[in-house]
């Protein structure tokens, strides 16, 4: 394993960048049209994407490249994109399995957008958001440590 000197706050900064990138990509995924095909594709790519995110620093970084160039930040962003299914799969599963007329019924009963969010969608998604958020934070810390201690690549 290779280690390099890193400035104070490196782990927090890169973990934060990874979490932000993962949340952004998960929000984009949830914003797109939700279908079972997209859901199953995310499930199929979830574990390979996490493994690729873990090995990414070892694959693209050399000891000469490490602290002086912006490659570690870009690597953190790409790692966040690769681990984003960890957050979006539980949320998308709940949204796909929700009754189709749930939001329309709440709207017909007089609930505005903020009331529907607070009274319908947040109770439905709360546990899954906490589970996905904790998993993303743990994975982002692990991914940051994979930047610091790169595993040898046998190619």
């Amino acid at each position: 394993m290779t280690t390099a000197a890193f400035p104070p706050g490196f782990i927090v900064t890169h973990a934060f960048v990874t979490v932000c990138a993962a949340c952004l990509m998960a929000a984009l995924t949830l914003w797109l049209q939700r279908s079972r095909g997209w859901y199953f594709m995310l499930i199929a790519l979830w574990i390979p994407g996490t493994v690729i995110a873990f090995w990414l620093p070892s694959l693209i970084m050399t000891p000469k490249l490490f602290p002086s160039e912006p490659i570690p930040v870009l690597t953190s962003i790409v790692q966040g994109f690769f681990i984003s299914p960890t957050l979006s799969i539980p949320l998308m599963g709940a949204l796909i399995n929700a009754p189709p007329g749930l939001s329309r019924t709440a709207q017909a009963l007089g609930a505005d957008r903020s009331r529907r969010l607070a009274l319908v969608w947040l109770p439905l998604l709360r546990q899954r958001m906490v589970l996905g958020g904790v998993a993303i934070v743990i994975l982002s810390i692990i991914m940051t440590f994979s930047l610091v201690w790169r595993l040898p690549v046998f190619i």
Side-chain angles (χ1 to χ4, degrees), residues 101-122:
L102 191 62
S103 185
R104 280 182 276 145
T105 302
Q107 186 177 9
L109 291 173
D112 59 347
R113 185 178 295 236
S114 63
R115 302 282 292 176
R116 280 182 290 181
L117 179 68
L119 298 175
V120 176
W121 296 115
L122 283 180

Side-chain angles (χ1 to χ4, degrees), residues 36-89:
R36 291 211 182 267
W38 182 243
Y39 178 66
F40 291 131
M41 185 180 73
L42 276 177
I43 290 174
L45 296 175
W46 176 42
I47 293 176
T50 304
V51 171
I52 289 170
F54 181 71
W55 281 93
L56 190 65
S58 298
L59 295 173
I60 66 171
M61 294 172 62
T62 64
K64 295 177 185 174
L65 185 68
F66 185 62
S68 62
E69 297 185 24
I71 300 297
V73 175
L74 295 174
T75 303
S76 293
I77 292 170
V78 172
Q79 284 176 325
F81 288 164
F82 276 128
I83 65 172
S84 67
T86 305
L87 178 60
S88 60
I89 286 174

